[in-house]
C-alpha cells in the first residue's frame, strides 16, 4: 500500500495502459508527473493536440492550491517556443496570486529574455510595492546579457530606492557593466561611513 494517503491536484493524471487519452485530474501526491508533463507538451509540439486543448489543460495548473503543481506548470511553459513562452509566462504571472510562484516565473524569464520579457522585467524592477519581487526582477536582468538591461539598471541605481542598490550592483557586476565604476568608488566610502554593510559588500565584491 502506498504511504501517500492525501490526494493532491496535479497538472496531469496518468494515461491508461489501454491507450486512454491524457487528462487532468487528481492523483496521489507521491506519484511522479514528469512523464505526463512531457507527454502533454510532446503532443502539442507534434500537432496531435490542439492549441486550445493544450492551453486549457495547462492553465488549470495556474490556479492550483498546491505549490508543486504551479511550479510544474511554470516548467512546462518554459519549454514552449517563443513568442508563446513569454506570452504565457506573463499571463501566468498576472493570473497567479501566490508570491512564490511569481518569483519562479520571474526567474524563468531569463536568460535569455525576449524583448517583451525584458521590458516586463524592467517594469517589475520599478514596481516598489514588493521589494522582494523587485530584487528578483533585478537578478533576472543581471542574467539577461542585454545592453538595455544594463542601461536600465544603471539608471535605477541612481534614481531608485537605496534598499535596492546592493542588488543592482550585483546585477551590473554579472553583466560586467562598468558604467558606474567611478560612482561605485564614491558610494563605497558613503556606505562604509553609514555602516551600510550589504551595500558596502556589494561594492567591494
Amino acid at each position: 500500500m502506498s504511504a501517500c494517503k492525501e490526494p493532491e491536484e496535479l497538472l496531469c493524471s496518468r494515461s491508461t495502459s489501454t491507450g486512454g487519452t491524457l487528462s487532468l485530474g487528481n492523483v496521489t501526491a507521491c506519484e511522479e508527473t514528469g512523464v505526463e508533463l512531457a507527454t502533454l507538451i510532446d503532443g502539442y509540439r507534434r500537432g496531435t493536440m490542439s492549441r486550445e486543448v493544450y492551453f486549457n489543460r495547462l492553465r488549470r495548473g495556474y490556479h492550483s492550491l498546491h505549490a508543486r503543481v504551479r511550479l510544474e506548470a511554470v516548467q512546462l511553459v518554459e519549454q514552449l517556443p517563443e513568442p508563446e513562452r513569454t506570452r504565457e509566462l506573463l499571463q501566468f504571472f498576472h493570473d497567479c496570486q501566490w508570491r512564490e510562484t511569481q518569483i519562479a516565473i520571474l526567474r524563468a524569464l531569463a536568460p535569455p529574455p525576449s524583448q517583451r520579457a525584458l521590458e516586463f522585467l524592467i517594469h517589475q524592477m520599478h514596481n516598489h510595492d514588493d521589494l522582494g519581487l523587485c530584487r528578483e526582477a533585478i537578478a533576472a536582468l543581471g542574467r539577461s546579457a542585454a545592453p538595455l538591461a544594463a542601461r536600465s539598471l544603471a539608471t535605477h541605481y541612481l534614481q531608485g530606492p537605496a534598499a535596492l542598490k546592493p542588488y543592482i550592483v550585483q546585477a551590473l557586476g554579472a553583466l560586467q557593466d562598468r558604467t558606474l565604476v567611478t560612482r561605485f568608488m564614491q558610494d563605497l566610502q558613503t556606505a562604509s561611513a553609514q555602516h551600510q554593510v550589504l551595500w558596502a559588500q556589494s561594492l567591494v565584491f
Side-chain angles (χ1 to χ4, degrees):
M1 181 179 294
S2 171
C4 183
K5 298 180 180 179
E6 293 296 330
E8 180 182 46
E9 181 189 13
L10 292 175
L11 189 59
C12 302
S13 65
R14 294 187 178 279
S15 55
T16 65
S17 58
T18 58
T21 58
L22 184 69
S23 63
L24 299 173
N26 294 329
V27 298
T28 59
C30 55
E31 286 187 290
E32 296 294 330
T33 62
V35 173
E36 289 76 11
L37 295 177
T39 301
L40 180 63
I41 195 169
D42 184 62
Y44 176 60
R45 283 174 167 170
R46 289 187 292 106
T48 59
M49 180 182 297
S50 72
R51 184 182 188 280
E52 181 180 4
V53 170
Y54 175 78
F55 280 101
N56 283 341
R57 293 182 176 184
L58 179 60
R59 287 165 182 162
R60 294 183 195 183
Y62 297 1
H63 306 286
S64 173
L65 297 177
H66 303 283
R68 182 161 69 93
V69 178
R70 299 192 302 272
L71 179 59
E72 288 171 345
V74 173
Q75 294 169 341
L76 192 55
V77 173
E78 281 188 86
Q79 300 180 52
L80 290 171
E82 293 290 2
E84 285 184 328
R85 176 182 180 273
T86 294
R87 181 170 60 244
E88 200 62 24
L89 283 171
L90 297 186
Q91 184 64 51
F92 195 171
F93 185 92
H94 290 301
D95 288 347
C96 184
Q97 300 180 24
W98 288 273
R99 188 171 180 273
E100 61 184 320
T101 305
Q102 289 181 321
I103 289 174
I105 294 169
L106 290 175
R107 292 174 178 174
L109 284 169
S114 66
Q115 182 66 25
R116 185 178 178 186
L118 191 60
E119 292 171 356
F120 174 78
L121 290 171
I122 292 170
H123 171 77
Q124 189 61 44
M125 176 178 67
H126 286 85
N127 183 0
H128 301 149
D129 293 337
D130 188 327
L131 292 182
L133 291 180
C134 281
R135 292 195 296 269
E136 291 294 339
I138 289 168
L141 288 169
R143 297 190 297 272
S144 69
L148 177 59
R151 292 195 299 270
S152 299
L153 286 164
T155 300
H156 206 54
Y157 179 87
L158 299 174
Q159 301 176 356
L164 295 178
K165 290 185 184 296
Y167 306 98
I168 295 175
V169 172
Q170 293 170 359
L172 287 170
L175 291 168
Q176 298 183 346
D177 184 272
R178 298 178 58 83
T179 303
L180 297 179
V181 63
T182 302
R183 176 62 181 266
F184 287 168
M185 294 174 64
Q186 298 169 353
D187 284 353
L188 177 58
Q189 297 179 358
T190 302
S192 299
Q194 295 178 357
H195 304 289
Q196 298 286 336
V197 177
L198 185 60
W199 187 16
Q201 287 179 340
S202 69
L203 291 165
V204 170
F205 297 106

